[in-house]
Amino acid sequence: MSTMMAVLLNGVAQVEYDRAKPLPDYQGAYLDKMDRKMEAEGIEIDGEPVQAPTLAQKAQFVAANLASAILADDEAQVAAMTTWLAVRLPDLKQVKLREEEGGFAIELEFDEAYIKQHPVQITPRRH
């Protein structure tokens, strides 16, 4: 199991989640509440209602909500959605979100490990 998971929007890391850090009890309870709500009410994927969603369908739904939360700058929702994905999908390495006309392309990457991004300082050359 990889301890790091990252959420990228248009190729730029937005969130890095370290699974090695313990999950507080209240966060675990919130994830359980999210699961119960999705199971009781169903979810909507690409405009289609889904009753009794599978784990993969829930992951797609949560990732789509994560993308919306990132764009809305809703830190609490970003944290909740990222935590759900990292905890419920322990082998997930990257969530790749790409803005497209009318929505997002979502790719859940289980094979390619996340490599931490480092900013590069570029100093202009003087002539």
Side-chain angles (χ1 to χ4, degrees):
M1 176 175 89
S2 172
T3 62
M4 289 300 293
M5 184 196 83
V7 178
L8 292 86
L9 176 62
N10 299 325
V12 178
Q14 303 294 308
V15 182
E16 295 175 348
Y17 186 94
D18 186 356
R19 292 182 179 98
K21 294 180 182 173
L23 186 69
D25 289 343
Y26 72 92
Q27 283 183 326
Y30 187 78
L31 299 184
D32 292 341
K33 182 180 173 185
M34 285 175 62
D35 282 326
R36 284 192 303 275
K37 185 174 180 180
M38 287 187 278
E39 288 159 10
E41 298 174 12
I43 60 175
E44 190 174 290
I45 297 177
D46 293 329
E48 295 294 320
V50 177
Q51 296 303 319
T54 65
L55 180 61
Q57 289 169 321
K58 288 181 193 176
Q60 246 353 72
F61 177 76
V62 170
N65 282 287
L66 172 59
S68 297
I70 289 170
L71 288 186
D73 206 22
D74 184 340
E75 291 181 20
Q77 279 296 96
V78 168
M81 300 298 152
T82 300
T83 302
W84 189 94
L85 288 165
V87 171
R88 297 298 189 251
L89 302 171
D91 294 327
L92 182 62
K93 294 174 175 50
Q94 298 183 64
V95 178
K96 295 179 179 178
L97 307 169
R98 191 175 62 256
E99 288 181 277
E100 293 185 341
E101 195 171 316
F104 291 94
I106 299 169
E107 180 184 350
L108 302 178
E109 180 62 62
F110 291 90
D111 297 324
E112 183 183 331
Y114 170 69
I115 298 170
K116 193 169 180 68
Q117 296 179 354
H118 296 283
V120 176
Q121 189 67 32
I122 299 174
T123 307
R125 268 183 35 195
R126 298 207 169 136
H127 296 284

